[in-house]
Amino acid sequence: MVLGISSFAYGWSVGVPGQMPECPLSPTDLVNRTVDFGLSCLQIGDNLPVGLLNEESRKELRDLLTRNNIRFEVGARKLTAEHLEQYIDLASYFNAPLLRFVVDGDDYEPDSSEIVRIIMEALPTLVKHKIVLGIENHDRFKASELAEIMEAFDHPNVGICLDCVNSLGAGEGLEHVIKILAPYTVNLHIKDFNIYRLSHQMGFNVTGTPAGQGMTNVPRLIEHLSKYERCKSAVLEQWVTPASSIGETVNKEERWAIESIQYLKGLPYFENSTLKIIR
């Protein structure tokens, strides 16, 4: 399993509407971050959609990825037939072995049968281009529902992108989710977190932490996934609690990323190599 970073490791630095940093990170900045960490995998998600890049920027990004031997994974949101087709083309252009999709979009929440239909129609193209489609567990669907979708295919080119925390939004914890979705997992989002009871005792607050400092038992998680030999990559994501200014938040995010990667690279589970930086 190869270790990498996601554009969602730098959510604040990439920019959030209404909270844009002075110099937002670009896709090429994220490639350089990946190489500086001595990693060989980068996943760029829908917070920095590569589908919006012009032809020149796409070529520049692809060339930089190739020169540095980076495994590039493309991410998108809103699983319509048209959008899936567009992003399969983009994944093929970037030689990306993994295409990660969040199913829902603005005013778009297809049911399980519609998801199966859309993916089934695209499956021959995924196979042709040797692309694995990873459907992320993202809030709305229970783990059992996602497993049923996977069983409709039982195919190596369709799997689950497993996020450590998202299923809390569906009322399910990681221990439960991993038991159901581990056999289908093709990509892991490493995201650590803590849960605190609010001072008035009526509710909880879920907040992010650097990897290895919260409730996500990363070693146990990796060991469990390794049994099935389908998960080829794990990328760092972060939920960084904002500071008093966007500049301070960006600096905090960078510190967390450094701490997290140092922790993860110290684990014996990842195929990492120190790469020569070629800019």
Side-chain angles (χ1 to χ4, degrees), residues 33-155:
R33 284 286 204 290
T34 304
V35 176
D36 288 344
F37 279 130
L39 301 176
S40 56
C41 179
L42 170 63
Q43 185 176 113
I44 292 186
D46 49 278
N47 62 333
L48 194 59
V50 294
L52 297 183
L53 296 176
N54 60 36
E55 184 175 350
E56 181 180 355
S57 296
R58 288 183 194 177
K59 186 178 185 304
E60 178 186 0
L61 176 60
R62 185 178 64 177
D63 291 346
L64 185 60
L65 290 161
T66 301
R67 290 199 303 272
N68 285 285
N69 194 30
I70 300 294
R71 171 189 167 100
F72 185 53
E73 301 175 347
V74 176
R77 177 185 293 265
K78 194 174 184 180
L79 188 74
T80 64
E82 297 76 17
H83 207 207
L84 178 55
E85 180 182 6
Q86 176 194 3
Y87 269 83
I88 291 174
D89 288 343
L90 282 166
S92 177
Y93 175 84
F94 285 108
N95 298 309
L98 178 80
L99 172 57
R100 157 269 189 198
F101 246 95
V102 171
V103 169
D104 292 349
D106 293 338
D107 301 317
Y108 180 74
E109 293 187 350
D111 61 20
S112 296
S113 62
E114 178 68 1
I115 294 167
V116 170
R117 183 193 67 78
I118 290 169
I119 298 175
M120 194 70 76
E121 290 179 356
L123 189 54
T125 311
L126 291 167
V127 173
K128 175 184 176 181
H129 293 290
K130 299 179 180 179
I131 296 168
V132 176
L133 176 65
I135 300 299
E136 186 166 347
N137 58 315
H138 200 275
D139 300 8
R140 182 165 63 98
F141 288 99
K142 301 285 188 181
S144 59
E145 295 175 296
L146 291 169
E148 288 178 2
I149 292 171
M150 293 300 108
E151 287 297 322
F153 302 100
D154 190 24
H155 197 283

Side-chain angles (χ1 to χ4, degrees), residues 196-205:
Y196 301 99
R197 186 175 287 277
L198 296 172
S199 59
H200 48 62
Q201 302 297 303
M202 292 180 289
F204 292 90
N205 184 31

Side-chain angles (χ1 to χ4, degrees), residues 136-139 160-169 172-178 181 185 187-195 206 209 211-212 214-222 225 234-239 264 270:
E136 186 166 347
N137 58 315
H138 200 275
D139 300 8
I160 289 292
C161 168
L162 184 67
D163 184 282
C164 292
V165 193
N166 281 347
S167 288
L168 288 177
E172 297 181 331
L174 182 58
E175 291 287 337
H176 170 78
V177 170
I178 192 67
L181 296 182
T185 297
N187 172 243
L188 174 65
H189 286 176
I190 298 176
K191 186 186 293 170
D192 213 343
F193 70 103
N194 275 316
I195 300 176
V206 180
T209 72
M215 300 176 73
T216 301
N217 188 331
V218 179
R220 181 176 176 180
L221 178 58
I222 299 295
L225 291 176
V235 295
L236 173 70
E237 292 195 346
Q238 301 190 112
W239 280 349
L264 294 171
F270 301 111

Side-chain angles (χ1 to χ4, degrees), residues 7-8 10-16 20-21 24-26 30 47-48 253:
S7 55
F8 281 102
Y10 286 97
W12 294 107
S13 302
V14 166
V16 175
M20 295 300 293
L25 291 185
S26 69
L30 287 170
N47 62 333
L48 194 59
E253 190 168 61

